Amino acid sequence: MATRSSQPTVLLVEDEPAQREVLAYNLEAEGFAVARASDGEEALLSVKEALPDVIVLDWMMPGVSGIEVCRRLKTRAETRDIPIIMLSARSEEVDKVRGLETGADDYIVKPYSVAEFMARVRKELRRTRPSTVGEELRHEDIMLDAQTHRVTRDGAEVKLGPTEFRLLATFLERPGRVYSREQLLDRVWGRDIYVDTRTVDVHIGRLRKALTQFGGDDPLRTVRGAGYSLG
Amino acid sequence: MATRSSQPTVLLVEDEPAQREVLAYNLEAEGFAVARASDGEEALLSVKEALPDVIVLDWMMPGVSGIEVCRRLKTRAETRDIPIIMLSARSEEVDKVRGLETGADDYIVKPYSVAEFMARVRKELRRTRPSTVGEELRHEDIMLDAQTHRVTRDGAEVKLGPTEFRLLATFLERPGRVYSREQLLDRVWGRDIYVDTRTVDVHIGRLRKALTQFGGDDPLRTVRGAGYSLG
DNA sequence: TAAAACTGTTACACAACTGTCACAAAAGCA
DNA sequence: TGCTTTTGTGACAGTTGTGTAACAGTTTTA
């Protein structure tokens, strides 16, 4: 099966560089490793070299076409289980059927939104690698698993209330980044909830207490006049 | 000019709530403050209230259209310098020309990727507020990261108070440039705060002390009768 | 249903930062 | 050189920002 690194790998097969880089940018922003290929031949080589966790495949390509790549991968035992998402500029029903017939797992018609694209990729990854899709956040010895709603520090379980959990999750998305109290209220409490900004301080205090209950340094940093950050 | 808070402010003018929130979410994720408006009238009010650092303007809107908002802002002296990015569903060259003719600084045709959108916003901000975008300011061995709010010299972390931090950030925007005490008060303290100009001297002293605490030359230069500069 | 867990607010203590001053030191000038 | 102007800086009091315990109200759990 596919690699077992902490990040899932996405093989992106698209001959148009601009298109390819936009998608790559978004995938990488979400923490996926991206392998690139600009035609069918490269794609087959790349798969042979290192099995990706999911393949995004453009229909129209010079040389070996996307549909042909798909057919070949789906007939080989060791690549059969890798989900394939087909991209196509054609919207005709005929093509959609043909795409899925050759074994593609999903089919996205251009033009599509990046959000839709990302959602489809996540969906396929969830099937094959349920634990690693956006569900696990780490920073140093702190680990948060959104799937099981658990937090551990240095292996020891840390019990957090819902608010502290979301707060920590927010910090873990971008360790080091300073969030103002207003931003934290926005993200953790929600856009139109009115709570005093000092409430943030109290919850920060509670999160600190929970994270240091078994010893260990305080991982949260207070930036006077600006807000808080993790690390 | 625009506000002097640590975050750049983006005014987002878009009548379609879903669209607006997607963009707002991404802007906020990158640390920008977002002001929202859902039509041209609101937009003009918002600008009057607090000058943003960049304006993102939908072309098609009920009431005062985007293009009209753009025209009005570009004819007023105090808003002329705020970069405007137009969004449009039309791809015809005609519109593009019309958009830029009214003074828009950039023009994005839907559908666009979020990555592209963010890149354009960053580009405009880089022109007008170089310090707060691109996240990292350097000069020789001094490095300031606005995102994480950290300063290092020769790799060693330098702890600065809020005022010293802003002061250094100002100098780093244009190393070598000499700022008068009045200019520094304007930029670092804010336009309508009244403090004695000698206060600047004291903070310069504190900044010097912090930057040389582990040895190293004093990177700040006193220009007698004129002010101070970095390097 | 009662107990436990969680929430937001407040008040107070404490720490960090601020601006001003006074005087010392340095730089310019005649 | 002596005199004037400008800058450096330690001290200090006042201000502002942050940490946290306590509490009452609410929600969740058993």
Side-chain angles (χ1 to χ4, degrees):
Chain A
M1 243 301 271
T3 86
R4 278 294 159 205
S5 76
S6 66
Q7 300 176 313
T9 304
V10 179
L11 171 59
L12 193 51
V13 192
E14 161 73 70
D15 60 309
E16 217 275 285
Q19 272 288 320
R20 191 173 63 234
E21 293 313 312
V22 168
L23 298 180
Y25 175 93
N26 281 282
L27 289 167
E28 282 169 350
E30 196 130 328
F32 301 135
V34 177
R36 294 164 173 82
S38 52
D39 59 47
E41 219 146 327
E42 262 187 57
L44 291 168
L45 274 170
S46 175
V47 170
K48 188 170 286 179
E49 203 173 288
L51 297 175
D53 296 284
V54 64
I55 301 173
V56 175
L57 199 51
D58 194 24
W59 179 289
M60 293 292 289
M61 279 186 308
V64 186
S65 78
I67 203 158
E68 176 61 16
V69 172
C70 183
R71 205 188 50 72
R72 290 202 204 169
L73 291 174
K74 286 299 181 185
T75 53
R76 265 202 287 153
E78 75 269 32
T79 56
R80 183 171 300 149
D81 293 330
I82 305 175
I84 295 181
I85 302 173
M86 293 286 268
L87 299 180
S88 168
R90 317 184 188 179
S91 60
E92 290 86 5
E93 193 61 24
V94 182
D95 279 347
K96 186 155 187 173
V97 170
R98 275 223 294 156
L100 294 174
E101 250 171 20
T102 57
D105 298 84
D106 200 358
Y107 191 94
I108 311 182
V109 174
K110 301 179 189 177
Y112 49 84
S113 75
V114 171
E116 183 195 353
F117 172 77
M118 293 301 298
R120 305 265 191 135
V121 172
R122 269 187 237 110
K123 193 191 103 197
E124 292 306 324
L125 280 170
R126 207 148 27 224
R127 280 205 300 132
T128 51
R129 298 196 59 190
S131 70
T132 50
V133 190
E135 338 282 34
E136 208 181 85
L137 295 165
R138 289 170 182 277
H139 175 71
E140 291 176 0
D141 58 352
I142 297 169
M143 202 263 277
L144 180 149
D145 187 334
Q147 192 100 97
T148 61
H149 231 264
R150 271 172 202 281
V151 173
T152 57
R153 177 160 198 199
D154 202 17
E157 171 139 17
V158 176
K159 260 186 77 73
L160 294 179
T163 305
E164 280 73 60
F165 185 86
R166 290 198 301 276
L167 194 52
L168 178 58
T170 302
F171 281 123
L172 280 168
E173 270 176 46
R174 286 179 183 239
R177 159 152 181 205
V178 176
Y179 292 90
S180 70
R181 290 172 175 71
E182 286 75 13
Q183 288 175 324
L184 290 171
L185 284 176
D186 249 31
R187 279 154 214 269
V188 176
W189 278 258
R191 205 157 291 269
D192 25 50
I193 307 291
Y194 172 70
V195 229
D196 196 280
T197 57
R198 289 307 310 280
T199 299
V200 174
D201 297 6
V202 176
H203 282 276
I204 289 280
R206 288 170 182 162
L207 178 54
R208 278 182 164 139
K209 197 169 168 187
L211 289 173
T212 55
Q213 61 186 318
F214 306 125
D217 290 347
D218 178 2
L220 298 177
R221 181 171 57 119
T222 302
V223 182
R224 178 171 250 257
Y228 300 94
S229 79
L230 173 68
Chain B
M1 242 296 270
T3 87
R4 278 289 159 207
S5 75
S6 64
Q7 303 174 312
T9 304
V10 179
L11 172 59
L12 192 52
V13 192
E14 161 72 70
D15 60 309
E16 217 275 285
Q19 272 288 320
R20 191 171 63 233
E21 293 313 312
V22 167
L23 298 180
Y25 176 89
N26 281 281
L27 289 167
E28 283 169 350
E30 193 130 341
F32 302 131
V34 178
R36 295 164 172 80
S38 51
D39 59 48
E41 220 146 325
E42 260 187 57
L44 291 168
L45 274 170
S46 174
V47 170
K48 188 169 286 179
E49 203 174 287
L51 297 175
D53 295 285
V54 64
I55 300 173
V56 176
L57 200 51
D58 193 24
W59 179 289
M60 293 291 288
M61 279 186 307
V64 186
S65 77
I67 204 159
E68 176 62 17
V69 173
C70 183
R71 204 187 52 71
R72 289 202 207 169
L73 291 174
K74 285 300 179 184
T75 51
R76 264 201 287 154
E78 75 268 33
T79 55
R80 183 171 301 150
D81 293 330
I82 304 174
I84 295 181
I85 301 173
M86 293 285 270
L87 299 179
S88 167
R90 317 182 187 180
S91 60
E92 290 86 3
E93 193 61 24
V94 183
D95 278 347
K96 187 154 185 173
V97 170
R98 274 223 294 156
L100 294 174
E101 248 172 22
T102 57
D105 299 85
D106 199 357
Y107 191 93
I108 310 182
V109 174
K110 300 179 189 178
Y112 48 85
S113 76
V114 171
E116 183 195 355
F117 171 76
M118 291 302 298
R120 304 266 192 134
V121 173
R122 268 186 238 109
K123 192 192 104 198
E124 292 305 324
L125 279 170
R126 209 148 27 224
R127 278 206 301 133
T128 50
R129 297 197 59 189
S131 75
T132 47
V133 200
E135 294 99 43
E136 214 180 81
L137 292 166
R138 289 170 181 279
H139 175 71
E140 292 175 1
D141 57 353
I142 298 170
M143 201 262 277
L144 180 150
D145 186 330
Q147 194 101 105
T148 62
H149 231 267
R150 278 182 198 280
V151 174
T152 57
R153 177 160 199 199
D154 201 16
E157 173 139 16
V158 177
K159 260 186 77 74
L160 295 180
T163 305
E164 280 73 59
F165 186 86
R166 290 197 301 274
L167 194 52
L168 178 59
T170 302
F171 282 122
L172 281 169
E173 269 179 46
R174 289 171 183 251
R177 159 155 179 200
V178 177
Y179 291 91
S180 70
R181 291 174 176 70
E182 286 75 14
Q183 287 174 323
L184 290 172
L185 283 176
D186 248 32
R187 278 157 214 266
V188 176
W189 277 258
R191 203 144 290 259
D192 24 53
I193 308 290
Y194 172 71
V195 263
D196 196 281
T197 56
R198 290 305 311 282
T199 299
V200 174
D201 298 20
V202 176
H203 282 277
I204 289 280
R206 288 169 182 162
L207 179 54
R208 278 180 164 141
K209 196 170 168 187
L211 289 173
T212 56
Q213 62 185 317
F214 306 124
D217 292 346
D218 178 2
L220 297 177
R221 184 168 55 111
T222 303
V223 183
R224 179 168 248 259
Y228 300 94
S229 80
L230 173 68

